[in-house]
Amino acid sequence: MTDKDSSAGSTKEVPDQSSEENAVSNYKTSLEHLVQQFQNSNPYEMKHKFWETQPVGQFKDLGNSSLPEGPIELPTPLSEVKQEPYNLPSLYEWTTCDMGSDEICNEVYILLTNNYVEDDDNMFRFNYSKEFLQWALRSPGHFGSWHVGVRVKASKKLVAFISGIPVNMRVRDQVLKMAEINFLCVHKKLRSKRLAPVMIKEVTRRIHLENIWQAAFTAGVLLPTPITTAQYWHRTLNPKKLIDVGFSRLSERMTMSRAIKLYKLPNSTTTPGFRKMELRDVPAVTKLLKNYLSRFVVAPEFDDSEVEHWLLPRENVVDSYLVESPVTHEITDLCSFYTLPSSILHSQEYSTLKAAYSFYYVATSTPLLQLMNDALIIAKQKDFDVFNALDVMENESFLKELKFGQGDGQLYYYFYNYRLQNALKPSELGLVLL
């Protein structure tokens, strides 16, 4: 299962805000059009040899209303699940990566830092911190056996990795135990070894051993078949740096001084009662989030321990702010973002692009536009260069107004062993995967 946006959030321009259009009028039709484009542009009629053998929605079934929504394959008795790991090429061996070990976490970090997702022009590469990886992979109820690595037998060097964590996912009115799959990475020199399909099968086998039969994942490439396709949007916070490193460029009518003025933010937040989330806020935030996410067709169901894990602020990992009514002291609103820098690969002056990614939010008493503007102000105060967001949830309502520009990266969301009859609009999805 490949992961993330293949462009690593890179955008090649500061778009003309007035001309941006991001409406989704008929999402089902647009997905079918996308698939048709892909098939027409493929002169060798390349098949997805691996994915066509897996229980996922297939392109040939698009528009077939006779196929039922729900699991594609029924669970197998646990006694019949393969007990031994899949075979690797003879020079390699499986390893389970203990992400609680600083030494092993550092190995995973080095592998990802040097080999993970790059943009199409090889200018930027995701640079997940060790603290981020431990946060992402050691969630409540996680299974250490789902953190799967491949080592070279002779040298013991870690050369590939894939991970899963458990999550309760609501699909319409049904809550399913699923795995979220992430961080599939194979060393650049081994890309021809066909390790990825074996790794996907192996992590799937380990997930099945825990009696879990569905999974969610994202990819920056089109596979059979997305449940939705989200667009990346970028809000410039440090225009000079973004232009200097090639993340953005000035349009013909724009000067650097005008760009700096255009993206300038207030020095302080404007919402009364806006403050950093604390441990004592967890029950109130859980309630807020549960109520808000219930309006989406697909969304996770978080309990207190998960809200504490995912949203309680961690330095250089995740920031969460809420609004506490100055009168009633009720927690009424929430916004959050996580820290995911990218390595800048070809700059003499800069090595890191500091990016914030919009995470979960709830707006009940504060307008969402105002809440997210306060989030931008906080991100600017913390020296982020850019604030990224997908057009999922209600994000579309503030993107243009807050001067986000549409990027050139799309993120495809997928389910494993679960079929939706129709693709979702991004606004019907209440799920953010790291």
Side-chain angles (χ1 to χ4, degrees), residues 225-291:
T225 297
I227 62 166
T228 195
T229 303
Q231 183 78 42
Y232 271 107
W233 289 69
H234 313 284
R235 206 302 183 173
T236 295
L237 299 176
N238 185 347
K240 185 178 186 307
K241 181 176 175 180
L242 294 184
I243 290 161
D244 285 349
V245 302
F247 184 91
S248 307
R249 70 164 182 252
L250 289 171
S251 64
E252 290 179 13
R253 301 187 303 277
M254 186 68 68
T255 62
M256 184 67 80
S257 59
R258 283 182 63 199
I260 291 168
K261 185 177 179 182
L262 174 66
Y263 292 115
K264 186 173 172 59
L265 286 159
N267 292 326
S268 57
T269 57
T270 58
T271 305
F274 189 85
R275 64 169 175 82
K276 198 172 183 176
M277 180 182 168
E278 300 173 13
L279 181 60
R280 63 189 169 97
D281 302 315
V282 166
V285 170
T286 303
K287 185 178 177 183
L288 263 185
L289 200 56
K290 191 178 180 71
N291 288 341

Side-chain angles (χ1 to χ4, degrees), residues 65 70 98 102 140 146 167 173 232 240 278 311-312 387 411 430:
S65 58
D98 176 6
D102 284 343
W146 294 8
V167 64
D173 297 325
Y232 271 107
K240 185 178 186 307
E278 300 173 13
L311 291 175
L312 202 60
F387 193 104
L411 189 66

